[in-house]
Amino acid sequence: MNHKRILSLFLIYFFSLSGYAQSRKIISLPDIEGYKTLKCDFHLHTVFSDGTVWPTVRVEEAWGEGLDAIAITDHIEYRPHSKDVVADHNRSFEIASPLARELDILLVRGAEITRNMPPGHINALFIKNANLLDREDVMDALKEARDQGAFLVWNHPGWKAQQPDSTVWFEEHSQLLANNLLQGIEVYNSNKYYPEALAWANEKKLAMFANSDVHGPMNVCEGHRPMTLVFAKSRTEGGIKEALFARRTVVYFDNTLMGKSSLLEPFFHASLKYDKAALKMANGVNKPVKITNQSDIGYELELVQPGVGVDAPESIVLKAHHVTVFNLGGNSDEIAGMKEINLYYAVKNVFTAPGENLLVTLSFLNRQP
Ligand code: ZN
């Protein structure tokens, strides 16, 4: 056998052994000025707590779905498989780590501190040693996490098992905030949206999260899992950590985005490409304009204020990965002299607060200056 043949046999052997999906989905979400948009899921379970999959499977799933980063966050206090899976709290991270490095998935070391409400379930991200979080008193566990440099997230704050009637912010949560023991909150978990959490994130300056909290095999037939979009200076673990502490996150589930307008507005515009040519509108003249949406997100726009001198559509759908053409009609003599035409829309599937849509301005050049 020549060397080439030995090599190719070795490669076939290697790839048939490796279990991960061999095609990786490409998620098309734009970066924004100064930041990379990282697609992350910071809440996952394995057999090392109450999940049913091996830790490397979480890495394979993330790779196949096109994610940048994950955190395995097995429960500290709830380990129903502990008779069969005998290991300490760091083991799931240690097992997943080499494959994550090989596949370039950023793996954040995490754990879920799992208590009754209040304070409920808290994810500790970027910890150094999960074993030290195994403490009798929840405050001791949280302080230990904080001392390890952790970022702490209140998980599924309106989970019916813990808050059956209404979603309450307890005095204990104010104490966590005051003691630097809470920096983030899940606005979306698995398939549930918590509007209260979105309001609290704004009010109390918490980073917003959307996580899968998956326990069994990830089963994405169409669409995508819920994701936390992180706007990071670099695609590194340190970059993610800096961005989380700076609260640069956006919630992404189904075809919906939630976050601060300071992030969502540049993200919206970065998703689109506009015609650069001047329109040269005049009274009574109709002109088509074209917008290309290169992102995975379809934007549903609703006119909030008529533009000056121009008739524009009441609603526009900018379908994902499509070019959308619509007509503008000049309706006054004023239009001929205007340098640009501004249209004001609400984006119906992008939220800055419960029931509040992102407001955007679509600007088109009318006359060369
Ligand atoms: Zn969990």
Side-chain angles (χ1 to χ4, degrees), residues 54 103 209 285 303 319 364:
W54 194 248
L103 297 182
F209 286 77
V285 171
L303 195 68
K319 274 175 77 175
F364 300 93

Side-chain angles (χ1 to χ4, degrees), residues 213-329:
D213 195 4
V214 70
H215 287 72
M218 179 60 77
N219 190 10
V220 180
C221 299
E222 53 182 58
H224 61 90
R225 71 168 85 181
M227 280 176 224
T228 305
L229 304 184
V230 176
F231 298 90
K233 289 177 188 164
S234 64
R235 191 187 179 282
T236 60
E237 192 188 339
I240 293 174
K241 191 172 179 181
E242 188 277 334
L244 292 190
F245 276 101
R247 316 308 198 235
R248 287 195 310 271
T249 62
V250 153
V251 162
Y252 175 36
F253 61 91
D254 303 332
N255 191 44
T256 302
L257 295 171
M258 295 180 171
K260 292 183 284 201
S261 57
S262 59
L263 296 169
L264 289 171
E265 201 184 347
F267 184 88
F268 170 82
H269 288 295
S271 306
L272 308 175
K273 263 194 184 164
Y274 301 86
D275 266 355
K276 288 281 189 291
L279 284 172
K280 297 177 190 159
M281 294 285 292
N283 195 5
V285 171
N286 276 309
K287 288 274 174 79
V289 293
K290 191 167 85 179
I291 298 179
T292 305
N293 179 0
Q294 296 173 307
S295 78
D296 285 355
I297 299 163
Y299 293 106
E300 296 151 26
L301 310 186
E302 198 173 275
L303 195 68
V304 287
Q305 191 188 317
V308 176
V310 72
D311 290 323
E314 284 294 322
S315 62
I316 302 170
V317 176
L318 301 173
K319 274 175 77 175
H321 303 284
H322 278 71
V323 178
T324 302
V325 180
F326 56 92
N327 273 310
L328 297 181

Side-chain angles (χ1 to χ4, degrees), residues 43-45 50 73 75 112 121 123 155-156 189 213 215:
H43 191 165
L44 304 171
H45 294 278
D50 57 345
T73 52
H75 299 285
E112 185 167 17
H121 295 194
N123 265 357
N155 295 339
H156 41 72
N189 172 289
D213 195 4
H215 287 72

